[in-house]
Amino acid sequence: MILENSRALIVEGGAMRGIFASGVLDAFMASDFHPYDFAMGVSAGASNLVGYLSQQPKRSYKVITELATTSAFFNPKRFLKGGDLVDVNWLWQEANHRYPIDKMRLFNSIPFWATVTNVTNGHADYYRIDESNIKETLVATAALPIAVKTPPCFSGGCYTDGGVADSIPVKEAYRRGARDITVILSHPLSYHMNPTKHPWLMKKLLSRYPGVADAMLHRSENYNASLDFIRNPPAGTIIRVIAPPESFSVKRLSMKREILDEGYQMGVAAGEEHMVNLQGWHGLNEENCHFCI
C-alpha cells in the first residue's frame, strides 16, 4: 500500500551543473511521468522543478543555456568593482519575461518546497512555494554566498543559497513522511565533498555572517552525511538516485554551450533509463539496485 505523501522528488542544485537535472526532468515530461506526492529543490534544483511542475519542457534548459551564460548574469568584472558575481534577480526577471511560468499548472501541481539558508544562524529553512513567495524564495535559494553581496530578505529573515545548509534535503523529506524518495544529483555517484581548504579565509570573507561561515565550514560533513543516508536508508525506505555519469564534465560555472548540451543529453538519457528501470526491463545487481530503480 502506498501511503499518502510517501513519494518525494528531490533535486540538488549546483549552478550550471543543474543542466543534468533539466534533462532528466524533460525526459520525465516527455513520458508524462509524474508519480510524486511532493518535491523539494535546492538552488538551481528548485528552478528546474518550476519547469517540471508547470509542465514546460525545455524552459530550464533555455534559462541555463541562453540566460545564465550571459554577462548580465555572471560578470567577474562587476564583482571586482564591488557588485555581485551573479545577478539572480536579473535572471529571475528575464527568465519570466522570456519564458513566463504557467502558474495555473504550477500551483495546482504537487506541493513544492525550496531550501534556503538563514544567514542569522546558518540553518536550513524550507519554504513551500506559492504565488505570494515564489520570486523571493527562488531568488534566495540561488543567492550564492560571497557571489551575492547582500542576502535577499523576506518573511522576517535574510537568506542565502540553500545548498550551504542542506544541499540534498533527503533527511527533511523523510521527516515529512517520504518513504519512497527519488533524488536527482548534480555530481556522479563517486563524488565525495572535501572540507574547505582555507577555513580562515572563509571566516574572513563571511565575517558579517558568522552563521553562514560556520555552515560553510561544516558543509562537506553535512553533504556527505546526506550521501550516507541515501546509501543506507532507514528500514522501510527506498531511495532511488539519478546521477550524472563519471564522464559528466559540467562544472559549477561552465559556460560553453557544447559542454552544457552534452550534460543535458546525459540527463535526458538518465531520465529515460530511470523510467525503463522502474518497469523492470533489465536486471540490476545488489550493489546498485537502490540507486538505479
Side-chain angles (χ1 to χ4, degrees):
M1 180 178 67
I2 298 176
L3 300 176
E4 183 181 0
N5 211 42
S6 70
R7 297 165 299 186
L9 173 63
I10 295 173
V11 185
E12 184 185 3
M16 305 304 274
R17 287 196 298 265
I19 195 70
F20 174 80
S22 75
V24 173
L25 295 174
D26 277 355
F28 285 2
M29 283 186 275
S31 294
D32 194 23
F33 184 72
H34 300 274
Y36 309 107
D37 297 314
F38 70 93
M40 304 187 76
V42 184
S43 193
S47 178
N48 275 322
L49 279 171
V50 169
Y52 174 63
L53 297 178
S54 61
Q55 299 181 48
Q56 294 177 265
K58 281 295 189 88
R59 183 184 189 275
S60 296
Y61 168 83
K62 292 174 181 176
V63 170
I64 294 171
T65 60
E66 297 177 9
L67 301 182
T69 55
T70 67
S71 60
F73 173 66
F74 174 69
N75 194 323
K77 290 183 179 178
R78 180 177 61 212
F79 184 66
L80 293 174
K81 292 179 181 179
D84 292 336
L85 179 63
V86 292
D87 191 338
V88 287
N89 274 296
W90 174 87
L91 187 63
W92 165 264
Q93 293 167 0
E94 190 66 16
N96 285 287
H97 171 68
R98 297 197 193 186
Y99 321 112
I101 297 170
D102 187 335
K103 292 183 178 180
M104 182 68 72
R105 283 184 169 178
L106 177 62
F107 298 128
N108 283 283
S109 184
I110 58 175
F112 164 32
W113 277 267
T115 306
V116 295
T117 300
N118 191 303
V119 300
T120 301
N121 55 30
H123 297 165
D125 288 340
Y126 308 92
Y127 278 94
R128 181 171 175 177
I129 301 295
D130 59 34
E131 194 152 9
S132 71
N133 68 15
I134 183 170
K135 175 186 182 296
E136 290 80 8
T137 307
L138 290 181
V139 166
T141 190
L144 293 165
I146 303 172
V148 176
K149 297 291 180 69
T150 303
C153 301
F154 67 98
S155 192
C158 298
Y159 304 96
T160 189
D161 191 296
V164 173
D166 194 0
S167 296
I168 315 171
V170 64
K171 293 181 182 179
E172 180 65 16
Y174 179 82
R175 189 188 71 80
R176 291 174 183 270
R179 297 297 181 266
D180 185 335
I181 304 171
T182 299
V183 182
I184 304 177
L185 297 176
S186 58
H187 288 283
L189 287 174
S190 63
Y191 180 73
H192 181 88
M193 184 177 285
N194 295 318
T196 182
K197 293 181 180 179
H198 305 292
W200 63 270
L201 180 59
M202 188 66 66
K203 289 182 179 179
K204 182 177 181 179
L205 292 172
L206 292 168
S207 59
R208 293 174 58 195
Y209 310 106
V212 177
D214 185 65
M216 287 292 287
L217 294 179
H218 290 89
R219 185 173 179 231
S220 61
E221 61 187 81
N222 291 334
Y223 187 95
N224 295 330
S226 294
L227 293 179
D228 288 341
F229 186 91
I230 288 169
R231 295 181 177 118
N232 302 283
T237 302
I238 296 173
I239 300 182
R240 315 168 196 272
V241 175
I242 305 171
E246 295 297 326
S247 58
F248 184 65
S249 60
V250 181
K251 308 301 182 186
R252 177 174 289 275
L253 295 175
S254 292
M255 296 292 164
K256 292 184 178 180
R257 184 65 172 265
E258 58 270 26
I259 292 176
L260 294 172
D261 281 344
E262 180 183 50
Y264 173 79
Q265 292 301 329
M266 288 178 175
V268 171
E272 292 172 345
E273 182 181 11
H274 177 77
M275 290 182 288
V276 167
N277 288 337
L278 284 175
Q279 300 298 319
W281 289 354
H282 57 72
L284 300 165
N285 61 48
E286 292 181 359
E287 181 178 352
N288 69 6
C289 180
H290 69 288
F291 285 132
C292 297
I293 63 171

